[in-house]
Amino acid sequence: MLKDITTQAMQQEVKELLEYSVFPDPEAVERAASSYQTGESRLFGYEEDGLLVGVIGFDVEQDELTIRHIAVLPENRGKGYGRGMILELLLELQPKPDRVIAETDEETVDFYRNIGFEVYSQGEKYPGVERFRCIYEVEESEE
């Protein structure tokens, strides 16, 4: 079940999940968690049997949903939670966005590609690190 956990972003359980979606540095995790405290971005969590198995942080501006963070516990990866969080979020949001955008690295780009995102290389955005812009156009049936 997907639920709004924006106000819980500083809790240890949430920060541990966010750590999987940022550079593994305690300061980066703190910045990510505290970014949700301003109210500009939202953070949803996916719970199953009382356990928080995934988080998705996002912004919605006009007709675009931008994924800021998405993470699933390692032991639950490959079970459809990441895709499910994106789809459930699209069903819940009113008004519905026309597109979903994410930026990622080489390690995660196949996740987005496999669920239907178009993937565009941004080159080396950081020294030695290729980044990718992933775009998904929401179809009428998903609205």
Side-chain angles (χ1 to χ4, degrees):
M1 177 175 131
L2 196 63
K3 67 178 191 173
D4 191 336
I5 61 168
T6 304
T7 60
Q8 300 165 26
M10 297 303 287
Q11 291 182 1
Q12 191 59 37
E13 176 184 37
V14 176
K15 288 198 281 187
E16 286 173 7
L17 268 166
L18 282 172
E19 185 174 7
Y20 294 114
S21 67
V22 298
F23 184 76
D25 165 42
E27 290 178 17
V29 174
E30 285 297 318
R31 280 192 306 274
S34 65
S35 72
Y36 295 101
Q37 300 300 296
T38 65
E40 294 175 19
S41 299
R42 296 172 66 191
L43 184 67
F44 278 40
Y46 192 88
E47 282 188 358
E48 186 169 273
D49 298 327
L51 175 68
L52 185 65
V53 296
V55 294
I56 183 167
F58 62 96
D59 298 327
V60 178
E61 213 171 288
Q62 296 173 4
D63 62 348
E64 292 183 351
L65 181 147
T66 302
I67 297 172
R68 299 286 173 214
H69 302 99
I70 187 168
V72 173
L73 290 173
E75 60 270 21
N76 289 297
R77 292 182 187 159
K79 297 179 180 178
Y81 289 111
R83 180 181 189 274
M85 285 190 296
I86 293 170
L87 292 175
E88 194 169 329
L89 191 57
L90 288 173
L91 291 173
E92 285 190 23
L93 290 177
Q94 298 295 329
K96 305 276 187 241
D98 292 336
R99 74 189 53 79
V100 180
I101 298 172
E103 182 181 308
T104 194
D105 56 18
E106 192 171 1
E107 183 178 329
T108 311
V109 73
D110 283 338
F111 162 75
Y112 290 103
R113 187 177 285 122
N114 289 338
I115 61 173
F117 281 71
E118 292 292 323
V119 175
Y120 305 92
S121 175
Q122 295 179 306
E124 283 189 25
K125 192 169 180 181
Y126 308 106
V129 179
E130 184 177 11
R131 298 292 290 177
F132 299 88
R133 182 173 172 88
C134 306
I135 301 173
Y136 181 81
E137 299 291 338
V138 179
E139 297 175 8
E140 291 293 321
S141 64
E142 293 170 285
E143 295 180 10

